[in-house]
Amino acid sequence: MVKFYDREFSSRLLIGTALYPSPKIMQDAIRASGSQIVTVSLRRESAGGKTGDAFWSLIRELDVTVLPNTAGCKTVREAVTTAKLARELFGTPWVKLEVIADNDTLQPDVVGLVEAASILIKDGFEVFPYCTDDLGVAMRLVDAGCKVVMPWAAPIGSAKGIVNRDGLRLLRDRLPDITLVVDAGLGAPSHAAQALELGYDAVLLNTAIAKADDPVAMANAFRLGVEAGRMAYQAGLMEARDFASPSTPVVGTPFWHVVS
Amino acid sequence: MRVTINGEARDIAATRIDALLDELEYEGSHFAIALNFDVLPKSRWAETHLKAGDEIEIITPRQGG
């Protein structure tokens, strides 16, 4: 089981709800992923409340826990107000906190992120901060009261997989009691498996599933990748080494006396 | 009265939030409102008076990652 604040879940795959070819495929992909937590956003309503209502009823049918995000917010003020709107709308203290510094890379503004997290935690929120793999920033987020930290693997939607493996490993080593989620940049189930093999508690992704040729099959593949990675981590991976070590016994090799 | 709704300047007749939603023909049930960057709980929509220059954001759930 994986713990997010005081709630426990069996699935270690958190999934986004955007970019699917159709609402039906979104629902089928989420079901196939086995995810119990889905991310949603908040946007301005221009169709008399009907657009939001239609989307919300699709999510309700899935019987999942909702994690609202502050995607697109560029200032602390916007992010904090959006989080409060999310709490009002969804009745949850959870928020995936995003404060974005740069439009092209969607790189988090880590200074604003720490500030916004502090404000929200004092106000009773349970914050899931989307951050970089910088240990100092992660430590400040933990100091602010975050019990979950979500470093990126690579920029959002880039599908590059884990760019800074050593950085992510360091976070895991130094923050053993924090629920760590790799959020953003994963492109393949093998990337998700790598995150879990590093000891990460979960992964969060959207584009790699939604933009696959067959999102439902890809959701299933990611579910298996996450399970495989977790199982491998628990089984204990061997250390890498620089030289070969024969797996077949050397003793009794035929013609041993000739070649040696 | 001129206010800003979801970033657009609008002339409205309503003087309270609940009347504004009627005027704008909002029928859905899942939206939240911020008035001048402060969240306005649903329980206060009927009693909250609007004034010229107010900034109103009407927000609904949407797809997100």
Side-chain angles (χ1 to χ4, degrees):
Chain A
M1 299 293 271
V2 56
K3 198 169 182 183
F4 296 104
Y5 288 87
D6 57 353
R7 299 183 61 187
E8 289 194 335
F9 295 83
S10 54
S11 170
R12 294 172 179 272
L13 174 55
L14 289 70
I15 190 169
T17 56
L19 303 173
Y20 295 88
S22 75
K24 167 84 165 64
I25 292 173
M26 176 195 79
Q27 284 187 319
D28 290 347
I30 292 171
R31 288 194 184 103
S33 75
S35 294
Q36 296 165 300
I37 299 170
V38 304
T39 51
V40 297
S41 72
L42 289 89
R43 288 292 177 263
R44 287 169 165 171
E45 176 62 72
S46 54
K50 290 173 194 152
T51 314
D53 268 22
F55 172 66
W56 186 232
S57 49
L58 291 171
I59 298 301
R60 292 282 294 272
E61 286 170 18
L62 292 167
D63 192 27
V64 287
T65 297
V66 169
L67 174 60
N69 70 27
T70 64
C73 289
K74 294 195 183 115
T75 64
V76 172
R77 189 189 191 202
E78 283 171 60
V80 167
T81 305
T82 302
K84 289 178 178 175
L85 283 165
R87 182 167 64 181
E88 167 80 3
L89 198 51
F90 299 107
T92 175
W94 282 16
V95 64
K96 175 184 162 180
L97 185 62
E98 295 184 33
V99 184
I100 299 299
D102 176 59
N103 275 341
D104 291 331
T105 61
L106 298 178
Q107 174 118 1
D109 169 3
V110 293
V111 177
L113 182 70
V114 172
E115 187 185 342
S118 301
I119 293 168
L120 290 169
I121 286 164
K122 282 181 191 132
D123 196 16
F125 280 88
E126 294 177 347
V127 176
F128 295 55
Y130 159 64
C131 57
T132 60
D133 46 45
D134 185 277
L135 175 64
V137 170
M139 289 170 72
R140 294 290 83 77
L141 290 165
V142 170
D143 289 346
C146 293
K147 292 189 164 59
V148 177
V149 173
M150 304 206 296
W152 66 0
I156 295 172
S158 69
K160 286 190 169 187
I162 294 171
V163 170
N164 183 5
R165 182 185 168 85
D166 290 347
L168 289 184
R169 191 200 295 271
L170 185 64
L171 287 191
R172 181 68 290 174
D173 288 347
R174 299 301 297 272
L175 303 172
D177 301 324
I178 298 298
T179 299
L180 289 179
V181 181
V182 169
D183 175 14
L186 300 179
S190 54
H191 300 158
Q194 284 166 11
L196 274 291
E197 286 166 10
L198 284 173
Y200 274 67
D201 296 285
V203 295
L204 194 167
L205 64 128
N206 190 156
T207 312
I209 289 176
K211 288 297 199 185
D213 290 341
D214 182 344
V216 180
M218 190 59 83
N220 204 22
F222 266 98
R223 178 178 60 78
L224 295 169
V226 167
E227 283 176 16
R230 176 65 185 174
M231 218 176 277
Y233 173 70
Q234 287 178 309
L237 292 143
M238 67 172 280
E239 289 292 320
R241 54 188 164 201
D242 290 331
F243 294 98
S245 171
S247 47
T248 302
V250 174
V251 176
T253 305
F255 316 114
W256 181 253
H257 66 289
V258 180
V259 293
S260 62
Chain B
M1 172 165 66
R2 202 160 179 80
V3 296
T4 302
I5 300 169
N6 286 349
E8 276 181 39
R10 299 276 293 264
D11 284 308
I12 58 163
T15 57
R16 292 192 323 269
I17 287 284
D18 60 344
L20 174 67
L21 294 171
D22 285 342
E23 185 177 331
L24 298 173
E25 297 180 335
Y26 272 79
E27 292 169 3
S29 51
H30 288 95
F31 46 88
I33 292 178
L35 178 60
N36 301 324
F37 268 89
D38 278 327
V39 177
L40 195 63
K42 203 168 190 170
S43 56
R44 286 174 47 206
W45 290 358
E47 68 190 40
T48 301
H49 289 266
L50 293 166
K51 58 183 189 312
D54 274 346
E55 289 192 33
I56 303 138
E57 293 278 335
I58 305 172
I59 303 295
T60 52
R62 209 60 60 84
Q63 294 84 347

